[in-house]
Amino acid sequence: MENTGTVTAKNIMIKCNSIFKTFESKDDENEVIRNFNLEIKENEFVVLFGPGQCGKTTVLNIIAGLEQSTKGEVFVNGRKITEPGPDRGMVYQTTALFPWLTVMGNVEFGPKSLGVKKKERRERAQYYIDLVGLKGFEKHYPIKLSGGMQQRVGIARAYCNNPPVILLDEPFGALDAQTRYLMEEELGRICTKEKRTIVFVTNNIEEAIYLADRIVLLTNCPTTIRKEYIIGLPRPRDYTSNDFLTLRKEITSEMDETI
Amino acid sequence: MSKTIKFKLISVFSFISFLIIWQICTDVLHLLPPYSLPSPIKTFSTFFVKISSTSPDGSVLPIHILASLQVALLGFLSGAVLGTPLGITMAWNKKFDMMVKPVFDLLRTIPPIGWIPIMILLLGIGTQAKVALIFVSSFVPCVINSYTGIKQTSHIHFWVGQTFGATNSQLLRKIAIPTALPFIFTGLRVSLSVAWMSLVAAELLAATRGLGYMIQIARTIGRADIIVLGMLLIGSIGGVLSILLEYVENKFVKGGV
């Protein structure tokens, strides 16, 4: 691949340009993001990691175009973001599947909205359903699936629209620990197979180190970047390797200071 | 024995005991005179006679049933066909909502029976007046329920649609309406039962045939058997209609909630 290692304007996929966000209520102003600057390269896996109540999700929503920044702008692929669009797929915290559609119906929803022909979108949806390990569940309705399986559908749905950018908002937050490890491994596998630019929000340090190319450590409210870590560990990663544990200790102690 | 069969047997048993107790109270113990409450056996035999007899009200039973069904279904369908889209549009479009709601809120609290006198004045005592009455009574629950249903749509589902590039009309058709569908069907079910109930009320007051009319005539000449027969038929036809509607609902509403 050309341009590896050097950050040039060409391979920057997401650019956050001094983002500020203030929520205003009647007699109160609440600043959640202060001067947030970030550049994310094409096909990079960036984890926004920070303490519980900081504005991670808000940053993600602004990149998605679901919320507007008070000041500053976001560029995706050189285009200024003003609203949500099919170039940015999103996987949500809680299951956001459509309960009235089957697994297949949910996964092919994106291409269907964009008018992709039935045969083509079925093939594509089937590919991603297989990829997330749900072969045989195409005709099931979400209510019949476990939490982990529902999030798999969510991931397949986001990929199926073929967006260059995928945003994940604590997608495994509601899962039990065992399922969570499994899903992290699965996502790691999917990301190696299907390269995309990924922004992943979490407050779980293991998850962050396991998945990230780069961890962006955020401060508490108002959110801004405290420190960045390039994670160079070979994949698939081992939760218990010395390097992993050292990193974990380092980042955790750094975070403790921010709280 | 599986649980479902057991439960069904319990229901059947309860129904049969109801008939037996009724029979004992009337024909066996004569607690009530036959001119105020006929026995189930008497009611059954009246049913078979009335199928082909025009006495005392001028029409055979099937004609009464058909007349009532026709009016009820016409009124119900027109109420549903106009009410559901109105509710959806009100929920989707704030300006339209503001425009229509005051009038709707004023009219919706008038009970269906309260419409009868004005309907008779406007449209006479023919089919039209009754269809119009049923229309008014089934229209209101359809509007309210489809309105509520659309409002239930989760903002995350809208977000999902938007990040997939869905247009505004796609958001309505592919996300809001499917969300609202269970509510829309609740509205239809309520409408159907209200329609059926107000129909009988309408026929009691102004009609030339129909189950309500049949009951009314039977009352004036003291034929309790025909009154009870009419009541039972109204009940069971209403039940069958709601079972049919449930069947349609199961075809359309998927995924469970």
Side-chain angles (χ1 to χ4, degrees), chain B residues 182-250:
Chain B
F183 292 84
I184 291 176
F185 270 99
T186 306
L188 292 178
R189 230 177 303 128
V190 175
S191 284
L192 188 61
S193 64
V194 174
W196 190 238
M197 288 190 276
S198 15
L199 169 77
V200 174
E203 284 175 346
L204 285 174
L205 291 176
T208 50
R209 59 169 88 90
L211 290 171
Y213 173 73
M214 183 180 89
I215 292 178
Q216 183 62 8
I217 295 296
R219 187 188 68 81
T220 57
I221 59 165
R223 285 285 301 272
D225 55 335
I226 295 185
I227 296 177
V228 172
L229 171 66
M231 287 168 62
L232 290 181
L233 280 173
I234 288 163
S236 28
I237 293 171
V240 169
L241 288 178
S242 82
I243 289 170
L244 285 178
L245 190 62
E246 208 169 295
Y247 177 78
V248 177
E249 178 173 357
N250 289 336

Side-chain angles (χ1 to χ4, degrees), chain A residues 219-246:
Chain A
T219 63
N220 226 333
C221 258
T223 294
T224 191
I225 296 173
R226 178 167 175 102
K227 204 166 173 184
E228 296 188 24
Y229 300 86
I230 305 280
I231 313 295
L233 303 177
R235 290 172 193 271
R237 290 172 184 161
D238 178 1
Y239 291 102
T240 52
S241 75
N242 280 335
D243 291 342
F244 195 102
L245 296 174
T246 316

Side-chain angles (χ1 to χ4, degrees), chain B residues 157-173:
Chain B
H157 283 164
F158 279 133
W159 282 6
V160 173
Q162 285 169 340
T163 52
F164 283 139
T167 60
N168 202 37
S169 100
Q170 278 175 327
L171 291 182
L172 174 63
R173 284 182 294 117

Side-chain angles (χ1 to χ4, degrees), chain A residues 14 32 43 74-75 99 161 236:
Chain A
I14 302 173
V32 276
N43 294 343
V74 177
F75 295 91
N161 222 17

Side-chain angles (χ1 to χ4, degrees), chain A residues 61 66 84-86 88 90 92 94 96-100 109-110 113-114 141 143 157-158 161, chain B residues 153 156-167 170 174-176 178-179 254-257:
Chain A
N61 283 347
L66 296 167
R88 284 148 290 147
M90 183 125 177
Y92 300 84
T94 51
L97 301 179
F98 300 127
W100 57 87
F109 185 89
S113 310
L114 295 178
Y141 285 94
I143 199 168
R157 179 170 71 173
N161 222 17
Chain B
T153 317
I156 290 188
H157 283 164
F158 279 133
W159 282 6
V160 173
Q162 285 169 340
T163 52
F164 283 139
T167 60
Q170 278 175 327
K174 307 286 184 189
I175 296 175
T179 305
K254 296 286 182 193
V257 179

